[in-house]
Amino acid sequence: MGFNIASPWLLPILLLLPLYVWLQYRYTTRITGSKKHIAISLRTLILLLIFIMVIGLTPYTMVEQRNVLVLVDRSDSVGHTDEVINYLQPLDSKDDKDHMAVMSFANNIMMDRALQPIKQQESLHSFRTIVDPSQTNIAAALRQAGGILNQAGGGKIVLFSDGLETIGSLTKEAQLMDAMNIVVDVVPLSSKVGEDAAISTLHVPSQLKQGEKYQLNVKIDSTNEAPAELLIYENDELIAEQMIQLIKGTNTYLIDALATSSGIRSYRAVLRMAEDTQAKNNTAYALSRVSGPAGVLIVEGEQGSSRNIEAALSASYIAYETIQPEQLSYELAQYVQYDSIIFNNVSAVQLPQLKMEHIESAVRNYSVGFVMIGGDNSFGIGGYFDTPIESILPVNMQLSGKKKIPDLSLMLVIDHSGSMSGSKMELAKEAAARTVELMREVDTVGVIAFDSRPTWIVQPTKLQNGDDVISSIMSIQPAGGTDIYPALNDAFDGFDLDAAGRRHIILLTDGISPYTPEYETLLADIKKNGITLSTVAVGQDSDVNFLARLAELGSGRSYYTEDETTLPAIFSREATMMSRAYIVDERVLPIEGYAGTWTNLWSGGLPHIDAYVATSPKTTAEIALWTPQEDPLLARWNIGSGKSVAFTSDLNGRWSSDWVTWNEFPNIFVEWVKWTYPQFSQSPYELKLSEQGSVIVTSNDEASYSKLGMSIQQEDSTSILPLVPLGNGRYEADVSKLTSGIYLSQIGETKPTNSGEQAELENAVTTGFVVPYSAEYRLDANKAEAREKLEALAQLTGGQVRTLEEAESLFQFDPVTLKQSYDWSRELLLLLIILWLADIANRRLALPWGRWLAKLRTATSMSNGHKQQRTSVEQSTFQRLNERKQQLAERGNTLLTKEEQWGEAAQQPVDRQNDQKLQVSQGLENHQKEEPHSTEKNETMNRLLAAKNRRKQ
């Protein structure tokens, strides 16, 4: 046994303790005698205990221990781990020295069993932890295991793995294990074996010219001979498909292709094979940048309505592609390939939320231009209020001139049956809330939620407090069945038929309601009182025909959607259309504003327009053309790294026949589109993905950047990663957590922002990189090299290469000797409290220490035994008799007379009484000395002494 001291440098303070004792005896005058001795002793002990706790003095004992930490590779490349369980199952050591821990690892590390004696552990029947099997990081697992054993005093690691690492360096970690004196035994595991094929390489030239022929190089590894199908996609469009016959080993295929359009092109190769054991290695990706004439995407709301736009672009030799809104891609890479995107009278009802978010990201983050052309399905009446598209436009959907809008009474009838649960209900509530935001304080709104019966969520009321109404709408929860008629009847009863303005009902449901003849009577009354009804059918289970019939009888519009994310656009479109103020149906002459060089485009004058969609300009937008009603007709602005233009009239001739027949129109329109183009430049950066899961960025210029950043665009967010300088114009960013796929990115200098705001990039350059599938699923891995690494690890650390049959020798090594400390702070604290209380009692209470010490001495003498006490009494008696006889002899009396005997007998009680009085007198005197300051005790002793003196006289 020994003692540890946590802070030995404090030990010299202990030399001050004798000085403290001397000072206490020198200057403590309030108490004297035994009380003073006891008080100083207690305080000295208290200080000594506090000092022991401060310096961290703890006792310890030496113990011996064998520590074994089992590391189990559970990545996808390893075969069944049941053989590891079978290896560990028979371990049943009864020796307290044997300790074992079990850790699983792959891409992450999990502790299955903490380090503790085996005799306290239950048998291991299965692994209960969950790991990410997509990678193998042996180095990280060894590092963490070594840290655990190092804290435990040392031990041995037993590694179960196939040695196929995908992250980290096993060789470097072996040197660290050797430096820590930790032995590593390895038990090689077999890899999974089965019929499998994997695309190991998809190579496309990184730079192409438009119209250039090129070849795609595809390499496929296979474990067996089998037929398969190879598919090649360019920007999600199938460009090649062929049946192939795989042979065992590496297969190479060359596919001819043509660069038909400019921009960043993404490629994807997909392999299909029967009885393929691993599907994660059947897809490979590649990127290429095609330079050439600018490319424009035209999205038209009505098929064939973009002929004027197409003719203007063709006249300037601008390549374009025209599609319908339904053909827009769900992939961001599809939009980044274009220089500009044109929306020609497209309704937001036709656009799911994700597509609008991708377009916004393409404009804001990747410099793609955007042009919106008006019409009866565009801007506010197209349902773009509070959408991602509105956020990139230079105009707002709400009107600033509220006096233009007539009063509106709107009833929202929303199905909240059980089938509306989940995203349907949440988006329906968002749609209703967005509609309320479009309304004004003079408008009236009512909200009914119905299942098998209707419930007023918001009673018909003037919209004085929109937040309260929205809060009530957001409280709707799904439950019950579906019955539409009672809800429509209540909505009709909720209108004030005497009030001026427009009255409208929006009905939303995803189910089927029983039909009754009463519907026609109710709808006739609704129509008779100037009320209109529009219906929204959600999902394939809704009764589309029935709801369309209700809208027809209600003189409204019917909508059907299978994508509930379009519900907010439908509701906002309905709310704006009911105002009848968004379409300004007047022939007007545009008024020139200011938009830089555009002013020169109409120096010869401007033609009239017959109608337009009213909007409100945004604060920083440039208004090139105004209307006499002070509404923007043509506006532009910069948004993020992109640009956008808004023309609120149409270009199909219905509202702007004078414009489309104007000779200058093609040149003017092309200038609008060109203004939105990104500024093309040679990319100053090259990107390469390292094996360690990081992107290496190499700068092609000589500039040195201290705050370079890289944005990563993912499905639902954009994150900016700092680029860490590596020297010589090279930078690094960690992307190890990204899944396999194509990622578009921007690289630029990080812009300073206020605290809490997301970082931004300046002078950013658009590029991209490919994250391949994990090396865990490659078939061309060198298994022999992996086995050699495991053997080298064991040899370097002094371990052995074991087999799965050597479990009994797992603990056959010398134990380590450890100090096992005992934390006695609890006991010291308890003793400290007891001594402190004793010190208080000694100073504050008048304790009879003398009597207690006398009793203690008596109790101590009595502990020698009853026989010794009796012997002592007899000896005392004989001694007194001998003394008496001696006194008689000195008087010369050889014989005692009878009277003297009687006298002696009488004198004995008197002597005994005198002895007792003498003892009392001495006791009082001693007591008086001990309590010199007690007046009452002194008086009592004086009286006792006076009484003794009188008896003597």
Side-chain angles (χ1 to χ4, degrees):
M1 179 168 178
F3 291 92
N4 283 325
I5 300 178
S7 303
W9 56 274
L10 293 175
L11 282 175
I13 299 177
L14 190 62
L15 299 175
L16 299 177
L17 196 60
L19 178 61
Y20 167 79
V21 174
W22 179 82
L23 291 174
Q24 287 291 309
Y25 273 105
R26 177 70 177 84
Y27 294 102
T28 302
T29 58
R30 188 168 54 87
I31 56 176
T32 58
S34 59
K35 273 194 172 185
K36 181 175 182 178
H37 300 315
I38 293 173
I40 294 175
S41 300
L42 290 174
R43 293 175 186 177
T44 304
L45 286 175
I46 289 173
L47 285 177
L48 184 61
L49 290 177
I50 293 175
F51 181 75
I52 288 174
M53 296 177 70
V54 169
I55 66 174
L57 180 67
T58 54
Y60 68 85
T61 57
M62 303 302 294
V63 296
E64 290 186 340
Q65 187 171 307
R66 295 186 188 90
N67 298 321
V68 173
L69 201 154
V70 177
L71 280 178
V72 184
D73 184 352
R74 290 171 57 192
S75 61
D76 276 339
S77 65
V78 178
H80 298 294
T81 55
D82 295 343
E83 51 193 8
V84 181
I85 298 294
N86 296 333
Y87 182 95
L88 300 176
Q89 187 71 24
L91 295 179
D92 189 21
S93 174
K94 301 299 183 182
D95 193 341
D96 291 334
K97 298 179 182 179
D98 294 341
H99 290 60
M100 185 176 73
V102 180
M103 289 173 57
S104 297
F105 73 93
N107 190 26
N108 58 331
I109 306 168
M110 300 296 292
M111 180 69 74
D112 291 282
R113 288 245 174 114
L115 189 64
Q116 59 183 352
I118 293 181
K119 63 185 301 183
Q120 299 178 9
Q121 300 181 10
E122 297 179 357
S123 298
L124 186 66
H125 298 285
S126 62
F127 296 104
R128 299 181 180 179
T129 56
I130 299 175
V131 296
D132 176 10
S134 62
Q135 300 278 2
T136 302
N137 196 340
I138 302 177
L142 286 173
R143 191 180 311 117
Q144 184 165 333
I148 293 174
L149 290 181
N150 193 36
Q151 291 181 355
K156 179 170 66 175
I157 296 175
V158 180
L159 173 64
F160 292 82
S161 176
D162 58 359
L164 297 174
E165 57 179 346
T166 61
I167 301 177
S169 174
L170 172 61
T171 304
K172 292 182 180 179
E173 210 61 38
Q175 297 173 356
L176 177 61
M177 295 295 103
D178 181 48
M180 296 171 64
N181 294 321
I182 294 178
V183 176
V184 181
D185 287 355
V186 296
V187 182
L189 299 178
S190 59
S191 301
K192 287 183 179 178
V193 179
E195 294 184 356
D196 193 14
I199 301 178
S200 59
T201 303
L202 171 61
H203 180 264
V204 180
S206 59
Q207 298 287 337
L208 291 169
K209 292 289 186 180
Q210 184 175 348
E212 179 182 355
K213 293 182 179 181
Y214 64 97
Q215 285 186 327
L216 293 96
N217 189 324
V218 183
K219 289 186 179 181
I220 303 174
D221 295 313
S222 180
T223 60
N224 59 301
E225 296 182 1
E229 184 180 14
L230 178 62
L231 308 174
I232 305 295
Y233 294 86
E234 182 184 19
N235 288 350
D236 290 333
E237 179 183 352
L238 183 64
I239 61 172
E241 179 181 9
Q242 65 183 66
M243 296 300 299
I244 56 177
Q245 180 64 37
L246 296 175
I247 61 173
K248 186 176 181 180
T250 301
N251 302 260
T252 302
Y253 299 93
L254 299 176
I255 300 173
D256 295 327
L258 176 67
T260 57
S261 57
S262 62
I264 296 178
R265 315 297 290 178
S266 62
Y267 297 88
R268 175 164 51 98
V270 179
L271 179 68
R272 296 176 180 173
M273 186 182 76
E275 300 181 359
D276 193 13
T277 58
Q278 181 58 260
K280 294 181 179 179
N281 54 14
N282 292 346
T283 304
Y285 301 90
L287 270 177
S288 180
R289 181 184 291 272
V290 180
S291 59
V296 176
L297 175 65
I298 303 173
V299 184
E300 56 181 12
E302 181 181 350
Q303 189 171 4
S305 62
S306 301
R307 293 188 180 92
N308 296 325
I309 296 175
E310 293 170 347
L313 296 177
S314 297
S316 296
Y317 300 99
I318 296 177
Y320 65 85
E321 179 184 359
T322 304
I323 63 172
Q324 305 300 306
E326 294 78 10
Q327 296 176 271
L328 285 170
S329 174
Y330 283 95
E331 300 294 332
L332 176 61
Q334 288 283 348
Y335 303 98
V336 177
Q337 66 175 308
Y338 297 104
D339 297 299
S340 188
I341 300 173
I342 300 175
F343 268 26
N344 181 23
N345 195 24
V346 177
S347 172
V349 176
Q350 300 171 279
L351 299 173
Q353 182 77 7
L354 182 59
K355 292 182 179 180
M356 288 194 281
E357 290 175 355
H358 283 336
I359 293 174
E360 177 200 13
S361 179
V363 175
R364 189 185 298 272
N365 300 323
Y366 296 97
S367 306
V368 177
F370 186 75
V371 179
M372 177 172 276
I373 307 300
D376 55 1
N377 287 315
S378 188
F379 294 103
I381 57 175
Y384 284 100
F385 171 70
D386 200 18
T387 63
I389 296 296
E390 184 193 27
S391 69
I392 60 175
L393 287 173
V395 294
N396 286 314
M397 303 301 108
Q398 284 183 307
L399 302 184
S400 57
K402 300 296 182 183
K403 62 181 183 297
K404 300 179 181 180
I405 304 177
D407 293 350
L408 174 65
S409 294
L410 181 63
M411 299 296 164
L412 304 177
V413 183
I414 301 174
D415 183 354
H416 77 131
S417 59
S419 60
M420 286 287 293
S421 61
S423 60
K424 285 184 183 179
M425 190 74 260
E426 295 304 315
L427 286 165
K429 292 189 290 186
E430 180 185 341
R434 190 176 295 183
T435 303
V436 171
E437 291 177 358
L438 278 169
M439 301 176 69
R440 303 162 301 151
E441 293 183 356
V442 296
D443 295 333
T444 301
V445 65
V447 182
I448 296 176
F450 72 93
D451 43 31
S452 55
R453 61 178 184 177
T455 301
W456 281 102
I457 303 301
V458 178
Q459 291 285 346
T461 181
K462 293 287 185 181
L463 196 62
Q464 299 296 327
N465 194 331
D467 292 339
D468 291 345
V469 174
I470 292 174
S471 178
S472 299
I473 291 173
M474 291 302 177
S475 67
I476 301 174
Q477 298 297 325
T482 304
D483 192 358
I484 297 175
Y485 180 81
L488 281 180
N489 189 59
D490 283 4
F492 173 62
D493 293 339
F495 284 107
D496 181 3
L497 302 179
D498 296 328
R502 296 188 52 78
R503 294 181 284 272
H504 188 56
I505 302 172
I506 302 177
L507 167 66
L508 180 145
T509 180
D510 71 337
I512 300 175
S513 178
Y515 174 80
T516 63
E518 297 175 341
Y519 275 109
E520 296 186 4
T521 304
L522 174 61
L523 290 170
D525 291 339
I526 288 176
K527 187 175 181 180
K528 179 180 178 182
N529 287 277
I531 303 171
T532 54
L533 167 67
S534 292
T535 60
V536 183
V538 185
Q540 297 179 354
D541 295 335
S542 58
D543 194 340
V544 179
N545 295 329
F546 170 65
L547 293 175
R549 177 61 177 166
L550 291 182
E552 181 183 356
L553 294 175
S555 301
R557 290 156 296 279
S558 63
Y559 300 89
Y560 168 72
T561 180
E562 294 183 9
D563 189 342
E564 55 266 22
T565 62
T566 62
L567 291 178
I570 293 173
F571 271 58
S572 61
R573 171 179 166 80
E574 279 295 301
T576 53
M577 291 189 69
M578 291 312 301
S579 67
R580 283 189 177 177
Y582 281 81
I583 297 180
V584 182
D585 193 3
E586 298 179 13
R587 183 174 175 82
V588 297
L589 181 66
I591 301 173
E592 293 184 17
Y594 174 77
T597 57
W598 282 8
T599 306
N600 300 326
L601 298 177
W602 37 78
S603 58
L606 288 165
H608 287 76
I609 58 171
D610 298 319
Y612 66 93
V613 182
T615 59
S616 299
K618 291 184 179 178
T619 305
T620 58
E622 295 179 346
I623 310 303
L625 295 174
W626 293 90
T627 68
Q629 291 81 3
E630 298 183 353
D631 293 326
L633 178 64
L634 177 64
R636 72 180 189 181
W637 77 336
N638 293 278
I639 176 66
S641 62
K643 301 175 182 180
S644 68
V645 172
F647 183 68
T648 58
S649 187
D650 72 358
L651 289 179
N652 57 18
R654 188 182 308 168
W655 292 353
S656 56
S657 58
D658 292 351
W659 273 73
V660 296
T661 57
W662 184 26
N663 292 334
E664 297 296 327
F665 166 73
N667 294 331
I668 289 176
F669 179 75
V670 168
E671 288 299 321
W672 298 352
V673 176
K674 285 183 177 180
W675 183 82
T676 65
Y677 285 171
Q679 300 300 314
F680 285 102
S681 60
Q682 181 66 28
S683 176
Y685 306 106
E686 293 181 2
L687 276 67
K688 183 180 180 181
L689 196 69
S690 71
E691 295 181 357
Q692 307 303 322
S694 62
V695 169
I696 305 299
V697 179
T698 303
S699 176
N700 294 325
D701 56 24
E702 297 180 356
S704 177
Y705 302 98
S706 59
K707 295 183 179 180
L708 206 63
M710 180 174 68
S711 68
I712 304 294
Q713 176 68 40
Q714 295 176 277
E715 291 184 359
D716 54 353
S717 64
T718 299
S719 57
I720 295 181
L721 304 179
L723 287 172
V724 180
L726 299 178
N728 297 325
R730 298 172 68 247
Y731 305 85
E732 182 181 31
D734 182 16
V735 294
S736 58
K737 297 186 181 300
L738 296 180
T739 57
S740 175
I742 295 175
Y743 293 89
L744 297 175
S745 174
Q746 284 190 312
I747 299 177
E749 294 184 79
T750 305
K751 179 181 178 181
T753 58
N754 296 326
S755 177
E757 295 183 2
Q758 185 176 2
E760 297 180 359
L761 299 178
E762 290 182 324
N763 304 318
V765 176
T766 301
T767 182
F769 61 93
V770 173
V771 176
Y773 61 80
S774 170
E776 190 73 23
Y777 308 109
R778 297 185 67 88
L779 299 181
D780 57 352
N782 193 332
K783 297 180 181 179
E785 182 181 353
R787 177 65 181 261
E788 291 176 359
K789 286 184 178 181
L790 292 178
E791 294 175 352
L793 170 65
Q795 182 179 3
L796 181 62
T797 60
Q800 301 179 16
V801 179
R802 298 181 177 272
T803 64
L804 290 170
E805 290 75 28
E806 297 180 278
E808 67 282 352
S809 61
L810 197 62
F811 288 92
Q812 293 181 1
F813 62 95
D814 295 332
V816 294
T817 303
L818 305 174
K819 288 183 179 180
Q820 191 172 44
S821 299
Y822 175 73
D823 184 8
W824 61 353
S825 57
R826 182 183 180 89
E827 290 83 350
L828 292 179
L829 185 60
L830 181 61
L831 180 58
L832 191 65
I833 294 173
I834 294 173
L835 292 175
W836 176 62
L837 293 175
D839 180 49
I840 294 175
N842 175 61
R843 290 183 288 106
R844 297 297 179 88
L845 302 178
L847 301 175
W849 296 106
R851 287 202 302 271
W852 287 356
L853 291 175
K855 289 182 178 180
L856 181 62
R857 287 195 297 269
T858 303
T860 303
S861 61
M862 289 179 64
S863 65
N864 294 328
H866 180 70
K867 184 176 180 180
Q868 293 178 355
Q869 292 180 357
R870 185 172 59 188
T871 302
S872 177
V873 172
E874 291 175 353
Q875 290 176 353
S876 178
T877 303
F878 288 143
Q879 184 178 358
R880 287 199 300 271
L881 289 175
N882 291 331
E883 290 176 355
R884 185 61 179 169
K885 288 179 180 181
Q886 186 177 359
Q887 291 175 359
L888 292 175
E890 291 176 355
R891 293 179 183 178
N893 298 324
T894 57
L895 294 174
L896 292 175
T897 61
K898 190 173 186 179
E899 290 81 4
E900 288 175 337
Q901 291 177 356
W902 282 101
E904 183 181 356
Q907 184 65 30
Q908 287 179 356
V910 175
D911 294 340
R912 195 178 304 116
Q913 185 177 5
N914 291 336
D915 291 339
Q916 293 177 351
K917 291 178 180 179
L918 181 59
Q919 292 177 357
V920 170
S921 175
Q922 293 176 349
L924 291 173
E925 291 176 356
N926 293 333
H927 186 71
Q928 185 178 10
K929 292 179 180 179
E930 293 178 356
E931 299 289 342
H933 301 290
S934 176
T935 305
E936 294 180 359
K937 294 180 179 180
N938 290 339
E939 291 177 357
T940 302
M941 287 189 284
N942 290 335
R943 287 196 299 271
L944 292 174
L945 290 173
K948 181 183 74 170
N949 293 331
R950 286 196 298 272
R951 284 195 297 272
K952 287 183 178 180
Q953 294 175 358

